[in-house]
Amino acid sequence: MSEQKKVVVIGGGITGLSTAYYLQKEAKEHNLPLNVQVLEGSNRLGGMIETEKKEGFTIERGPDSLLARKPSVFRLIDEVGLTSDLVTVSTGKSYVLANEKLHEIPSGSFMGIPVQVRPFVLSSLFSPQGKLRAAGDFIKPKSKPQTDQSLGHFFRNRLGDEVVENLIEPLLSGIYSGDIDNLSLMATFPNFYQLEQKYGGIVRGLQKTVPKPPNKGTRKKPSPFRTLQNGLGSLVEAVSDSLEEGTVQLETSVTQIEKRADGYELKLHNGEVMHADSVIITTPHYAAQSMLSQYSFMDSFKDMPATSVANVAMAFDQSAIQQDINGSGFLVSRNSDYRITACTWTHKKWPHTTPDGKALLRAYVGKPSDQGAVDLSDEEIADIVLQDLNKTMNITQKPEFTVVTRWRDSRAQYTVGHKDRLKQIQADMADELPGVYLAGASYEGLGIPDCIDQGEKAVENVLDYIKS
Ligand code: FAD
């Protein structure tokens, strides 16, 4: 490759930023004449990642946790020199609110599925009948092979409704902000299907494959979550600071992508046109569909739902919380009469975020069946949160301040069949729009590490395409 090639990354969330970072790294290391441009529609970088510092508190408006077993985000953190800022969760306990009471999540489980039987048998979260039904996983034969099914259908069949509704559903809804009876097993946890098919049951399969816990007396199992001392926004800042000057254009929305003989023409919101040899679209699926609306193969993105959530951070004086609880927070079971879906006791989970003597709580509203909650006023949302929290925590004073953040249509729903539909779109795209790629939370995983993985894969694809 001798003449310069222009690669445009659309979207400046973590997917777009990591893509641009690795493209420029490759260009530097292999002396490739690449011009990388990131076009971001809003006036800030980071997309769903946003940290706010206020009165000594570090408040995450979006994500706050990085899953330790997924390496790509830690590689990126290392690349940009932030490894010494990594912080581990301070407390191991978390709870589920079910039947109006907080129940500790039984230890020895993986995504709510028991790996060790004893903590499950002793747990107050399930009735004796619920436990008996879950034990059915050991004797039920594996199900007939299926190309896909809902998470709810799969887990209800293996473990029964009670374990699903009191534990698995709150855990999975916390990740996907969706209804597990619609979400695709194969697009979210295909490994559970494979365990069932290989070992005849998921508990047995996990017991055979999950590493054994350390023996009594040996070191405690490390927590599965990490964050950054100065908030996850510091990763966005460090990655964007590492990009070459002039890489990013803020307040620049792409409205349409047109194929031309010499590459692509990107129409911008202000009427300008930009040429690209290759394009990586890291926006939500509905924005990607709108940019490529002339291609009917993108139509299935019109039917792909996305849910909204509101994240509510409340700062208190510690004395306001009469009944503080030892743990990192709680999830709310589907059958509870609560409008919040979860609450993190941030001052316990991440003590570095909160000044001494203060408390920081973070709750979510916007269940799939209560999407209207996200559109209420800040005051109404704060009232809902306080009323719900007071059912378990006895909070005697008003918050010192409240920060409400609405993430509208942010949670792409991988409904049953998602993987096949995406595969078809990617195949059609490869045929009709060579050099254009999709990456990000709407496509192949919505955790931060999954987004970075997709960015890295897109970099490989672009380099192969440009060199070909
Ligand atoms: P986005 O962050 O959505 O970025 C896409 C960007 O594209 C945006 O900046 C947008 O403005 C821009 N854009 C859109 N249209 C256009 C256009 N036409 N032209 C130009 N630009 C455009 N993940 C975790 O791993 N751990 C967590 O603890 C966690 N918690 C979460 C909590 C909340 C409240 C939310 C909302 C998400 C959470 N996630 C978590 C998920 C994770 O934050 C996101 O999936 C991830 O940050 C998405 O990154 P992205 O770059 O793919 O998309």
Side-chain angles (χ1 to χ4, degrees), residues 3-18:
E3 69 185 280
Q4 193 176 65
K5 298 282 183 190
K6 181 157 182 165
V7 183
V8 176
V9 178
I10 308 178
I14 195 63
T15 310
L17 290 174
S18 54

Side-chain angles (χ1 to χ4, degrees), residues 10-16 39-42 44-49 61-67 175 232 252-255 282-284 287 291 309 311 362 364 407 410-411 439-442 445-449 451:
I10 308 178
I14 195 63
T15 310
L39 305 181
E40 165 55 45
S42 74
R44 52 171 282 277
L45 290 174
M48 293 180 223
I49 302 179
R61 286 176 171 270
D64 72 342
S65 302
L66 303 170
L67 202 47
I175 300 173
L232 296 182
T252 308
S253 284
V254 176
T255 55
T282 73
T283 65
M291 286 171 218
V309 291
N311 168 353
R362 197 169 96 127
Y364 285 105
W407 295 104
S410 60
R411 315 296 280 158
S442 282
L446 42 69
I448 293 170
C451 292

Side-chain angles (χ1 to χ4, degrees), residues 52-59 313-316 360-361 398-403:
E52 179 168 334
K53 303 267 186 177
K54 194 174 161 101
E55 298 179 24
F57 292 84
T58 302
I59 293 163
M314 286 182 168
F316 295 93
L360 180 63
L361 305 179
K398 284 210 151 44
E400 291 184 353
F401 64 83
T402 301
V403 177

Side-chain angles (χ1 to χ4, degrees), residues 325-362:
I325 298 147
N326 180 23
S328 60
F330 65 88
L331 300 159
V332 178
S333 79
R334 180 187 268 221
N335 301 327
S336 295
D337 186 19
Y338 276 54
R339 286 183 85 178
I340 61 169
T341 57
C343 174
T344 306
W345 298 312
T346 308
H347 58 296
K348 296 277 174 83
K349 184 178 178 187
W350 310 116
H352 67 278
T353 61
T354 309
D356 286 347
K358 303 285 177 186
L360 180 63
L361 305 179
R362 197 169 96 127

